[in-house]
């Protein structure tokens, strides 16, 4: 087998047999490549039961990718470092290749899944290829609305939380209001908010802010309240002012709690974002989904869902990065 | 009581006078008397050890001297001035180092200067103090990366960087292993002899008190009152098997009602 000779050549003359690991690594890469090649073959050569564009392009891309994987598997012996890195992805690539083949077969080729509700892969490719300007526009609109609402809500929640933890008078007035309004889903305000605000856009910022602000306020508050009293004693004996106690002791000590609130708030705010876009804001991915449904363009809906999940995941990742940066003093926690 | 190591007129320490101090806590409605008419004066530059059974009120007394709380009755003065609140000239090292986990070693040590707005002016003191406690190589480490002894050294440096007149030590070595403890006892005595501040040290370790202090005050059970005030006129370094110290230890054990068990 050629692999053996490749391995032997790479190990500097001595004709050692490739290790079990090397063989398994190569086999996985080749299998993954084969799955993608098969996917390309099915896409190109089996006849479609309906009309979907961009089949040949998808087949070409999948075939190229599969070929590259097979090639990488064969040459892996020469580049152990690169092969090791690729090894991390090959099980997933293999599974994806099989999944795409199955998806292709059950939709475009045999229509086992009810049509037109389950479009084939190349229908999605067609959406991305032809409708990307509108999708891109929707993503930008969604991110803009989400960030405006999230940042405003997070700031307000943070300030409210710190004030609740620090000031009795503030707590007396704000705590009951927060207990009454906080737990209610912000979406319930939606009909009123669309009337009360000058535009559905500003109403949505308010709703997203409200959704984010509540968990941030509660967790910031509990974080500030649970700061080890000994920290204050230490700081006071060293000459700390009240401002120093708030900004240099209470807030840094509460920051891990604050981030829990931010994660909860961000997660919850996505639901409000999409709902608000579906209900009134004439832009964004939620609106795109709504619009695609109106035209019964199922491929567009799946494409929008995919983009939406990437966007949400990306925003969560950004928040994790921020946390890792600000809380680098903590022992390593979960890796997102 | 005059300290052996210093000439009173030149030392930078402070005279702390505790006058008729009684203190009560409110424990679920019922008053809990903790200090009972405590009277003593620590002279400038003196190293006073406070010994007493656990829970008798030693830490409470230190909190009052630090100005963290006002006493229920009586008064405490520093160089004749009533103590109204905390002041960076009187710093505390607690049993737990209570370093700020979000600050590295250097920034923890710099805390006092930063809080007082003196960091620009006296920032060099931070490096000097780190050198003094032997932690210059760990300036960038975070508290969770330190051993117990190192963390307590940082806490000591965080106090010393303010050039205090009074160093208040509340069982600072209580949680350390015995070897680290021995070496840090020597270090603290050396620091004190060099700088000349006044020290109030709470400890539950009689030997530690006898090895370090110029004077040992023994407290009763709660509510704490002074049972004995013993001068230790011995030069440093001291040895634990010095017959005088052994005799003193027996005496103190007797005062604490523990002579039978030794
Ligand atoms: N903030 C407080 N509130 C109520 N009781 C307290 C408080 N602080 C200390 N005490 C009580 O006062 C007594 C003396 O405590 P402390 O001064 O810490 O003793 P120790 O001599 O061991 O340092 C203990 O019984 C303790 O429970
Ligand atoms: Mg104590």
């Amino acid at each position: 087998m050629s692999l053996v000779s490749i391995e032997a050549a790479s190990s500097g003359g001595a004709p050692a047999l490739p290790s079990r690991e090397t063989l398994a690594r190569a086999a996985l890469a080749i299998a993954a490549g084969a799955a993608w090649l098969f996917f390309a073959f099915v896409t190109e050569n089996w006849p479609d039961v309906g009309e979907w564009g961009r089949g040949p392009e998808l087949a070409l891309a999948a075939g190229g990718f599969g070929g590259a994987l097979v090639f990488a598997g064969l040459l892996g012996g020469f580049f152990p470092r690169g092969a090791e890195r690729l090894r991390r992805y090959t099980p997933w690539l293999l599974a994806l290749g099989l999944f795409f083949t199955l998806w292709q077969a059950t939709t475009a080729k045999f229509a086992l899944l009810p049509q037109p509700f389950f479009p084939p892969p190349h229908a999605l490719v067609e959406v991305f290829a032809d409708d990307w300007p509108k999708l891109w526009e929707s993503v930008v609109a969604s991110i803009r609305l989400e960030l405006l609402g999230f940042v405003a809500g997070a700031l307000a929640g943070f300030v409210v939380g710190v004030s609740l933890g620090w000031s009795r008078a503030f707590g007396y007035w704000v705590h009951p209001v927060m207990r009454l309004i906080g737990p209610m889903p912000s979406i319930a305000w939606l009909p009123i908010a669309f009337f009360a605000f000058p535009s559905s856009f500003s109403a949505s910022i308010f709703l997203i802010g409200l959704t984010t602000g509540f968990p941030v306020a509660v967790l910031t508050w509990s974080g500030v309240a649970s700061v080890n009293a000994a920290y204050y004693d230490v700081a006071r004996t060293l000459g700390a002012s009240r401002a120093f106690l708030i900004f240099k002791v209470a807030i840094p000590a509460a920051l891990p709690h604050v981030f829990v609130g931010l994660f909860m708030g961000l997660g919850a705010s996505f639901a409000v974002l999409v709902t608000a876009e579906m209900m009134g804001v004439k832009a964004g991915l939620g609106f795109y989904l709504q619009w695609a449904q109106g035209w019964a363009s199922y491929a567009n809906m799946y494409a929008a869902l995919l983009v939406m999940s990437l966007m949400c995941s990306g925003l969560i990742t950004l928040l994790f990065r921020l946390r890792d940066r600000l809380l680098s003093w903590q022992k390593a926690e979960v890796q997102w | 009581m005059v300290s052996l190591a210093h000439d009173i007129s030149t030392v930078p320490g402070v005279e702390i006078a505790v006058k008729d101090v009684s203190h009560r806590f409110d424990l679920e409605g019922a008053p809990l008397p903790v200090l009972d008419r405590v009277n003593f004066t620590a002279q400038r530059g003196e190293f006073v050890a406070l010994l007493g059974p656990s829970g008798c009120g030693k830490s409470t007394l230190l909190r009052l001297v630090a100005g963290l709380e006002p006493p229920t009755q009586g008064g405490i003065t520093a160089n004749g001035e009533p103590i109204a609140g905390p002041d960076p000239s009187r710093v505390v090292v607690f049993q737990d180092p209570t370093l700020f986990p979000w600050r590295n070693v250097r920034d923890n040590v710099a805390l006092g200067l930063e809080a007082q707005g003196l960091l620009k002016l006296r920032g060099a003191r931070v490096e000097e103090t780190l050198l003094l406690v032997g932690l210059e190589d760990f300036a960038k480490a975070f508290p969770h990366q330190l051993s117990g002894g190192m963390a307590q050294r940082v806490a000591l440096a965080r106090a010393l960087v303010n050039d205090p007149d009074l160093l208040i030590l509340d069982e600072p070595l209580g949680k350390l292993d015995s070897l680290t403890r021995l070496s840090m006892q020597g270090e603290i005595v050396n620091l004190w002899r060099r700088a000349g501040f006044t020290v109030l040290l709470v400890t539950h370790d009689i030997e530690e008190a006898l090895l370090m202090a110029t004077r040992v005050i023994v407290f009763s059970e709660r509510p704490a009152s002074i049972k004995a005030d013993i001068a230790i006129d011995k030069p440093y370094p001291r040895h634990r098997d010095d017959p005088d110290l052994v005799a003193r230890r027996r005496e103190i054990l007797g005062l604490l009602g523990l002579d039978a068990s030794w």
Side-chain angles (χ1 to χ4, degrees):
Chain A
M1 191 176 152
S2 65
L3 270 174
V4 179
S5 54
I6 286 166
E7 183 75 15
S10 69
S11 59
L17 280 172
S19 70
R20 241 190 144 75
E21 261 161 71
T22 313
L23 283 176
R25 206 157 64 190
L28 252 176
I30 292 167
W36 282 83
L37 283 171
F38 184 57
F39 170 49
F41 175 82
V42 169
T43 303
E44 182 59 30
N45 294 321
W46 294 3
D48 281 0
V49 295
E51 274 292 318
W52 293 284
R54 305 287 175 176
E57 289 90 338
L58 176 61
L60 200 66
F65 185 60
L69 273 175
V70 171
F71 197 62
L74 290 172
L75 294 186
F78 287 117
F79 309 100
R81 193 80 49 83
E84 192 50 53
R85 199 166 316 152
L86 184 63
R87 169 69 179 80
R88 259 186 280 161
Y89 304 108
T90 41
W92 259 109
L93 291 174
L94 171 60
L96 279 177
L98 295 175
F99 170 76
F100 282 139
T101 311
L102 186 72
W103 177 10
Q104 187 67 279
T106 50
T107 54
K109 305 305 174 185
F110 302 111
L112 297 176
L113 293 171
Q115 297 299 320
F117 310 111
F118 295 92
H122 47 291
L124 263 74
V125 173
E126 185 179 22
V127 173
F128 286 123
D130 297 347
D131 208 23
W132 67 264
K134 196 159 188 318
L135 268 174
W136 174 247
E137 203 178 287
S138 304
V139 173
V140 171
S142 283
I143 290 183
R144 180 156 160 260
L145 178 55
E146 170 65 33
L147 286 186
L148 281 171
F150 178 75
V151 170
L155 282 177
F158 180 73
V159 171
V160 167
V162 171
S163 311
L164 278 173
W166 206 259
S167 159
R168 219 168 263 265
F170 187 86
Y172 176 81
W173 292 107
V174 174
H175 186 204
V177 178
M178 212 174 74
R179 276 180 69 171
L180 187 69
I181 293 176
M184 187 172 71
S186 316
I187 287 295
W189 290 102
L190 195 131
I192 294 176
F194 279 175
F195 281 118
F197 280 80
S199 65
S200 55
F201 187 73
S202 53
S204 306
I205 290 179
F206 168 75
L207 292 177
I208 292 171
L210 200 61
T211 310
T212 308
F214 178 62
V216 173
V218 171
L219 277 134
T220 304
W221 174 29
S222 94
V224 170
S226 65
V227 174
N228 185 351
Y231 290 159
Y232 294 129
D233 287 345
V234 166
R236 284 174 62 208
T237 59
L238 294 175
S241 63
R242 197 175 148 87
F244 191 90
L245 292 182
I246 296 178
F247 291 104
K248 298 289 181 133
V249 183
I251 290 177
L255 218 48
H257 281 81
V258 175
F259 267 92
V260 175
L262 287 173
F263 279 109
M264 289 170 60
L266 185 59
S269 71
F270 292 146
V272 180
L273 170 74
V274 175
T275 314
E277 285 174 345
M278 286 180 164
M279 305 288 287
V281 184
K282 297 247 172 296
L285 285 169
F287 174 67
Y288 186 99
L289 266 175
Q290 186 85 340
W291 167 85
Q293 190 201 22
W295 290 96
S297 339
Y298 294 96
N300 295 62
M301 290 168 66
Y302 285 100
L305 281 178
L306 184 61
V307 172
M308 195 184 285
S309 64
L310 289 177
M311 177 189 81
C312 295
S313 172
L315 290 173
I316 293 269
T317 305
L318 277 181
L319 191 56
F320 264 100
R321 290 281 141 77
L322 183 67
R323 187 204 65 168
D324 291 347
R325 183 163 273 246
L326 286 179
L327 302 185
S328 59
W329 49 271
Q330 283 188 319
K331 284 172 225 181
E333 276 191 36
V334 278
Q335 200 76 44
W336 166 253
Chain B
M1 184 74 267
V2 174
S3 135
L4 291 176
H6 305 282
D7 171 12
I8 289 297
S9 57
T10 61
V11 293
V14 60
E15 179 196 88
I16 297 290
V18 177
K19 290 177 197 148
D20 260 331
V21 166
S22 296
H23 196 70
R24 276 188 297 281
F25 284 115
D26 205 33
L27 206 63
E28 283 158 31
L32 177 78
V34 174
L35 297 174
D36 183 22
R37 278 171 292 142
V38 175
N39 264 299
F40 72 90
T41 300
Q43 304 295 343
R44 284 168 176 260
E46 225 180 350
F47 193 132
V48 180
L50 310 176
L51 264 178
S54 176
C56 75
K58 305 179 298 291
S59 297
T60 305
L61 179 59
L62 292 191
R63 289 178 65 82
L64 302 184
V65 173
L68 288 169
E69 287 167 55
T72 319
Q73 272 168 40
I76 306 175
T77 59
N79 284 343
E81 298 282 323
I83 289 175
D87 188 280
S89 68
R90 301 184 297 270
V91 293
V92 190
V93 178
F94 297 95
Q95 180 169 14
D96 287 311
T98 46
L99 303 179
F100 291 6
W102 58 91
R103 287 174 168 248
N104 64 23
V105 167
R106 175 185 285 119
D107 293 345
N108 264 290
V109 172
L111 194 68
L113 297 179
E114 195 181 321
Q116 299 156 50
L118 295 174
L119 198 54
K120 285 243 166 66
L121 208 63
R122 306 207 338 232
R125 283 288 291 145
V126 176
E127 314 299 327
E128 281 170 35
T129 315
L130 279 174
L131 210 62
L132 197 67
V133 297
L135 282 173
E136 64 278 11
D137 293 339
F138 290 87
K140 293 225 172 92
F142 279 91
H144 73 83
Q145 299 167 313
L146 304 178
S147 71
M150 286 156 78
Q152 202 53 281
R153 274 202 179 82
V154 177
L156 194 61
R158 180 177 63 187
L160 293 175
V161 79
N162 303 287
D163 295 316
D165 295 321
L166 173 68
L167 186 61
I168 299 173
L169 304 171
D170 190 356
E171 306 194 36
L173 311 180
K175 283 191 174 167
L176 303 183
D177 64 275
S178 50
L179 288 179
T180 310
R181 198 146 121 193
L182 282 181
S183 66
M184 281 192 71
Q185 286 170 355
E187 283 172 40
I188 292 174
V189 167
N190 287 338
L191 287 168
W192 160 69
R193 295 218 290 163
R194 225 178 303 161
F197 41 67
T198 308
V199 180
L200 287 183
L201 166 75
V202 161
T203 175
H204 54 248
D205 182 344
I206 300 175
E207 204 159 74
E208 183 168 285
L210 291 172
L211 285 175
M212 296 174 77
T214 56
R215 181 175 163 200
V216 178
I217 296 180
V218 184
F219 286 95
S220 67
E221 298 269 351
R222 192 185 64 231
S225 58
I226 295 181
K227 265 194 155 176
D229 192 335
I230 302 164
I232 315 289
D233 280 346
K234 281 268 162 193
Y236 299 91
R238 295 171 178 173
H239 295 283
R240 61 199 60 246
D241 29 9
D242 180 320
D244 282 352
L245 294 186
V246 173
R248 283 288 155 79
R249 185 171 69 195
R250 190 155 307 135
E251 182 189 340
I252 294 171
L253 280 169
L255 287 166
L256 294 171
L258 291 167
D259 44 343
S261 58
W262 277 50

